[in-house]
Amino acid sequence: MNRPDLNPGDLTDEELVHFAKMGKQDAFATIYERFLPAVYARVRFKVPETDVEDVTQEVFIAILKSLHGFRGQSKFSTWIRTITNRKIVDYHRARVVAATDSNDYDHTEFGEQPDRDEFLERQDDLSIIQSALSELPQNYQDILLMRFVDEMPFNEIARQNGQSIDATKSLFRRSIAALSEKMQEENE
Amino acid sequence: MNKRGLSDAQKLDEQLAAFTDQVLSEDEVVEMMEDVTQQDEFIKLQKAVLRMKAATRQAYPDVEVRKRIRNHLLAEWEAGNKLKVSAFKDRFGLQKFPAITLAGGFAFVVLLGFLLIFWPLPEDMPLGATAGDGPVSLIPFFVFMGVAAVAIILWFRHKR
């Protein structure tokens, strides 16, 4: 990073982590630029629009604070996805507590009705897919986000999930079919 | 499910995976593939893939959002660094008495070096000294102190 001919954008994720741990701010900035789109899109598919920016910010602050704990036992992208998923779970858990505390929980179906109404009003593809996706089983949601948001190839998804490539492609097809059904229901 | 049904499903899995790979690898709109044997199902799935890709592109952050989060993170980074430096200074009392601390450290190092070089060996000390059969030299003690000092310095540097 001190060499003038070395561009942070050319470094691998693990090299960037190494430099960021050494206190190089531009290395961390490059990590941020590299992973923001996937983190933001993942959060956006799982969290109401009004809170997407806050949750994304929390994800990156968590990455910043725990960067020294990353030992390279998994791929850095996997580590980031784990942190993102954990923050999304924390967010929904906090909302359950808040809803219970304010006694709103009895009157609304958590995670569905208020957000769903908001999405349907906007009537764009993103909102319809957000809503449809949230109704799919967790393993269907996971494989769709891994392929579309993280742009992981099928063989990498298979490796991460400990499945054969055929089983992974089959799961993907069933997930797309289920998503298609849900979208159709949303449109009706 | 009969054998033919199973192979049709596998074929559909492969076709859809190939179509998705193609869609995600290109920025332009991809033409849908055709399969006469299961056309309705395949077309429906391809449409879902195209919509999912479009929605993902829509879900990416815009320039303003990128900037806002970036600025906030860089502020966190700076704050974190200041906090570490401040904790280090507090630990050594550098903020209150920086000159005294530095002078004390320097004097300790000089004294250690002086003792290591000039400390006289006892005249009656056998060269092949063994435990319990003669006066014990203080040199190993100071060597140990030196090593301990280096270890402590390295430890603090690591903590920083």
Side-chain angles (χ1 to χ4, degrees), chain A residues 36 89 154 164 167:
Chain A
L36 177 69
V89 169
F154 285 108
S164 69

Side-chain angles (χ1 to χ4, degrees), chain A residues 19-68:
Chain A
F19 285 118
K21 280 181 176 181
M22 287 167 63
K24 306 286 181 194
Q25 195 187 65
D26 50 347
F28 184 74
T30 308
I31 290 173
Y32 165 75
E33 293 294 342
R34 193 173 286 182
F35 286 96
L36 177 69
V39 169
Y40 190 87
R42 177 173 282 269
V43 172
R44 203 165 179 188
F45 276 118
K46 299 262 197 171
V47 162
E49 196 65 27
T50 48
D51 296 323
V52 172
E53 197 171 323
D54 287 343
V55 174
T56 304
Q57 200 162 278
E58 281 176 27
V59 169
F60 279 98
I61 289 172
I63 291 168
L64 175 62
K65 288 183 174 167
S66 50
L67 200 61
H68 283 274

Side-chain angles (χ1 to χ4, degrees), chain A residues 75-94:
Chain A
K75 280 180 77 175
F76 187 61
S77 53
T78 307
W79 187 73
I80 286 193
R81 195 167 50 252
T82 305
I83 291 179
T84 308
N85 286 339
R86 197 182 304 144
K87 284 290 167 193
I88 291 168
V89 169
D90 287 350
Y91 168 82
H92 286 297
R93 196 174 292 145

Side-chain angles (χ1 to χ4, degrees), chain A:
Chain A
M1 296 291 280
N2 290 328
R3 281 163 48 194
D5 58 331
L6 204 56
N7 180 4
D10 296 336
L11 298 175
T12 65
D13 298 343
E14 282 70 22
E15 286 168 336
L16 285 171
V17 171
H18 173 73
F19 285 118
K21 280 181 176 181
M22 287 167 63
K24 306 286 181 194
Q25 195 187 65
D26 50 347
F28 184 74
T30 308
I31 290 173
Y32 165 75
E33 293 294 342
R34 193 173 286 182
F35 286 96
L36 177 69
V39 169
Y40 190 87
R42 177 173 282 269
V43 172
R44 203 165 179 188
F45 276 118
K46 299 262 197 171
V47 162
E49 196 65 27
T50 48
D51 296 323
V52 172
E53 197 171 323
D54 287 343
V55 174
T56 304
Q57 200 162 278
E58 281 176 27
V59 169
F60 279 98
I61 289 172
I63 291 168
L64 175 62
K65 288 183 174 167
S66 50
L67 200 61
H68 283 274
F70 176 69
R71 301 271 175 251
Q73 286 155 338
S74 61
K75 280 180 77 175
F76 187 61
S77 53
T78 307
W79 187 73
I80 286 193
R81 195 167 50 252
T82 305
I83 291 179
T84 308
N85 286 339
R86 197 182 304 144
K87 284 290 167 193
I88 291 168
V89 169
D90 287 350
Y91 168 82
H92 286 297
R93 196 174 292 145
R95 273 180 52 127
V96 170
V97 172
T100 309
D101 286 350
S102 62
N103 293 326
D104 288 343
Y105 190 64
D106 296 337
H107 307 295
T108 59
E109 255 183 279
F110 167 70
E112 257 183 55
Q113 211 54 47
D115 303 336
R116 192 166 155 165
D117 288 346
E118 184 189 316
F119 293 155
L120 290 176
E121 276 169 22
R122 286 167 49 205
Q123 282 296 321
D124 57 16
D125 248 15
L126 177 60
S127 61
I128 290 170
I129 289 180
Q130 280 169 324
S131 186
L133 198 69
S134 70
E135 291 175 27
L136 298 183
Q138 193 58 48
N139 59 338
Y140 284 13
Q141 292 184 34
D142 288 342
I143 195 167
L144 291 175
L145 293 180
M146 281 169 137
R147 188 65 193 101
F148 287 97
V149 172
D150 302 323
E151 297 198 356
M152 287 170 71
F154 285 108
N155 57 1
E156 178 66 15
I157 297 172
R159 199 184 62 76
Q160 291 241 336
N161 289 349
Q163 287 179 318
S164 69
I165 186 89
D166 287 345
T168 301
K169 286 177 180 175
S170 172
L171 177 65
F172 178 75
R173 196 249 309 149
R174 284 180 278 124
S175 306
I176 286 287
L179 181 72
S180 177
E181 292 293 326
K182 291 288 178 193
M183 284 194 294
Q184 213 161 356
E185 285 172 22
E186 296 287 342
N187 284 332
E188 283 165 5

Side-chain angles (χ1 to χ4, degrees), chain B residues 108 112 116 138-152:
Chain B
F108 176 74
L112 201 64
L116 279 173
L138 285 174
I139 288 177
F141 171 73
F142 287 119
V143 170
F144 172 76
M145 288 289 286
V147 171
V150 170
I152 289 168

